[in-house]
Amino acid sequence: MSRSVPVVPTWAPRALRPARTALFLALALTAACGGGGGGGGGGGGAEKEEASGRPGASGVRDPYFPKAGNGGYDVTHYALDLGYEPATGRLTGTATISARATQALSAFDLDLEGLSVHGVTVDGEGARWDRAGQELTVRPRDTLARDKTFRVTVRYSGTPKTITDQDGSEEGWLRTADGALALGEPTGSMAWFPGNHHPSDKASYELTMTVPKGLRAVSNGELVRERSTGGRTAFTWRTAEPMASYVATVAVGDYDVRRSTTADGLPVYVAVEPALAEASRTVLGRIPEVTRWAADTFGPYPFSSTGAIVHGDTDVGYALETQNRPAFPGVPDTLLLVHEIAHQWYGNSVTPKTWRDMWLNEGFATYAEWLWQEEHGGDSAQETFDALYDHGERTYEDLWSFPPAKPTSAAHISDSPVYQRGAMVLHRIRRTIGDSAFRDLLRGWATTWRHGNADTADFTAYVEKRAPGRNLEAIWADWLYGEGKPKSV
């Protein structure tokens, strides 16, 4: 179908959601021993601090979510052993988190919203801990030296929360008729496991979910074990490549599973709610084709498998680029499939340093839609750009309300300027440096920052380095950071 101005589907990739402010007032003090929260300052003098340690910060000071994430350590691996009972909504879990101290630590925080903590150990020894809102503060028996690798194990249980985001959307743990679905963007993952929940700290994962026999548990990465005993089945999934916690997922329910491989031998794992299996067969059958096209356009596929999760009995009104297999709240169309698969490069492999850099995810994924249309009988990217510039506000009322690199608040990091105007920035770069150089840039950006984190300054510096002698200042000033509708194209 030819689309002059992209049509907004009934549900979309986390764009154009109804704005609604959510204020979380949580003060749950569940003290085991000791007192005080994490994130304090230091002692007197560098030598004394190194000897006695100091608490890690209780947030990484993200410009929109300042309490998200934690300072003082870097997570390398999550081992999550979970059990879920759909009839009661109860989750039990043991999370073992491997990390490296980036300072001498007398205490450190983990993000965990709700749920009851039953015990914490650090390197096998009991540790003191306490709770304050989303902060679980852990005090190891001995100070953790700088650069020390350590493991913290948290036992917990309860009914996980559905979190209402500041834009009015729901995330976290979403109960379904026969199970649940976990979605994490931007802060929902802390509703079902403790961790360093900020995109700047990526890690590998192994997740085992035990559910009533007859149901399935689908997660990221590769299914490495499925074992039934005593009326329950345990599914173990392993994600070897680094993953930000907001794109971690687990879907529990009655899913129709289809396994295949691409022409290059890449495993394809698709899980679909049975009622949607037949309707989704054709579009999901294009996953190998779309993945191959994206690899030709953006460079080698960054993960060990591809696929999708299609659910239908939640109130979620958006698709999400959960790593390896995006989650769709119904049968997607081809452009939405293209969008979420493109995110595997832009967002999942090259991950933003802060939530201010969301346009590096969404602008690229939206431009992938433009390129797909251009190469598959639809409008050219130039025609799409022109239509947006001339009358895009008819479809996206807020199109010119803020520049893509400066969302006005946490409630607006998923609004249309981040998506559509972000794509327009990329098209302006393409027009300035030429098609061949632009194609090289798309691949080079994804390759240079593969499995890493980057921000807008990294991107602009990269473009300028790859296009010496080109004047890009007007693009940065007018399209990336400028207020209102640019006066000229």
Side-chain angles (χ1 to χ4, degrees), residues 438-468:
F438 181 74
R439 294 289 180 149
D440 289 345
L441 187 148
L442 288 177
R443 295 173 66 91
W445 173 249
T447 300
T448 300
W449 295 91
R450 185 181 175 93
H451 298 315
N453 293 86
D455 60 18
T456 301
D458 293 322
F459 177 72
T460 56
Y462 180 81
V463 176
E464 290 171 354
K465 182 178 179 180
R466 293 296 294 264

Side-chain angles (χ1 to χ4, degrees), residues 4-5 370 380-393 399-400 424 427-428 431 479 485 489:
S4 298
V5 177
W370 296 16
S380 68
Q382 185 63 52
E383 288 171 325
T384 303
F385 177 95
D386 290 342
L388 277 170
Y389 185 81
D390 292 340
H391 47 77
E393 59 272 16
L399 181 61
W400 309 111
M424 296 177 89
H427 191 68
R428 291 287 299 159
R431 287 178 53 182
W479 289 91
K485 183 176 182 179
V489 293

Side-chain angles (χ1 to χ4, degrees), residues 133-164:
Q134 72 182 52
E135 302 298 326
L136 168 61
T137 303
V138 178
R139 294 178 173 79
R141 184 170 299 179
D142 299 311
T143 294
L144 300 173
R146 180 187 177 96
D147 293 326
K148 174 180 172 55
T149 58
F150 64 95
R151 290 195 301 174
V152 54
T153 299
V154 181
R155 294 185 297 106
Y156 61 101
S157 67
T159 303
K161 289 185 176 182
T162 296
I163 294 173
T164 301

Side-chain angles (χ1 to χ4, degrees), residues 358-387:
M358 269 281 280
W359 84 274
L360 290 172
N361 295 13
E362 302 302 347
F364 273 86
T366 300
Y367 200 73
E369 297 180 51
W370 296 16
L371 292 173
W372 175 273
Q373 291 181 101
E374 182 174 77
E375 296 176 23
H376 292 81
D379 288 345
S380 68
Q382 185 63 52
E383 288 171 325
T384 303
F385 177 95
D386 290 342

Side-chain angles (χ1 to χ4, degrees), residues 24-231:
F24 301 105
L25 298 177
L27 186 60
L29 296 176
T30 311
C33 293
E47 291 183 4
K48 181 178 179 181
E49 282 188 1
E50 187 62 28
S52 62
R54 56 188 173 89
S58 60
V60 297
R61 304 300 182 259
D62 185 273
Y64 299 123
F65 300 94
K67 296 295 286 183
N70 300 284
Y73 64 94
D74 174 59
V75 176
T76 57
H77 183 71
Y78 289 93
L80 305 176
D81 189 356
L82 310 176
Y84 186 61
E85 182 51 63
T88 62
R90 181 175 175 81
L91 180 75
T92 58
T94 299
T96 300
I97 303 166
S98 301
R100 179 183 63 85
T102 57
Q103 65 176 63
L105 284 172
S106 60
F108 59 90
D109 281 22
L110 299 169
D111 300 312
L112 183 65
E113 178 71 24
L115 300 172
S116 297
V117 174
H118 305 300
V120 180
T121 64
V122 177
D123 289 335
E125 296 188 336
R128 296 184 302 155
W129 55 272
D130 58 63
R131 304 287 300 277
Q134 72 182 52
E135 302 298 326
L136 168 61
T137 303
V138 178
R139 294 178 173 79
R141 184 170 299 179
D142 299 311
T143 294
L144 300 173
R146 180 187 177 96
D147 293 326
K148 174 180 172 55
T149 58
F150 64 95
R151 290 195 301 174
V152 54
T153 299
V154 181
R155 294 185 297 106
Y156 61 101
S157 67
T159 303
K161 289 185 176 182
T162 296
I163 294 173
T164 301
D165 196 10
Q166 294 188 38
D167 65 3
S169 58
E170 291 187 336
E171 61 193 69
W173 193 262
L174 307 163
R175 292 187 69 177
T176 62
D178 60 355
L181 174 69
L183 298 176
E185 189 179 53
T187 63
S189 295
M190 66 180 176
W192 58 285
F193 68 96
N196 199 18
H197 291 298
H198 188 266
S200 60
D201 193 1
K202 298 160 71 170
S204 59
Y205 283 70
E206 182 166 292
L207 178 148
T208 297
M209 173 63 84
T210 302
V211 298
K213 192 173 182 179
L215 299 181
R216 301 199 69 85
V218 182
S219 188
N220 313 89
E222 313 312 316
L223 180 62
V224 297
R225 190 181 308 113
E226 179 178 336
R227 182 178 300 164
S228 294
T229 181

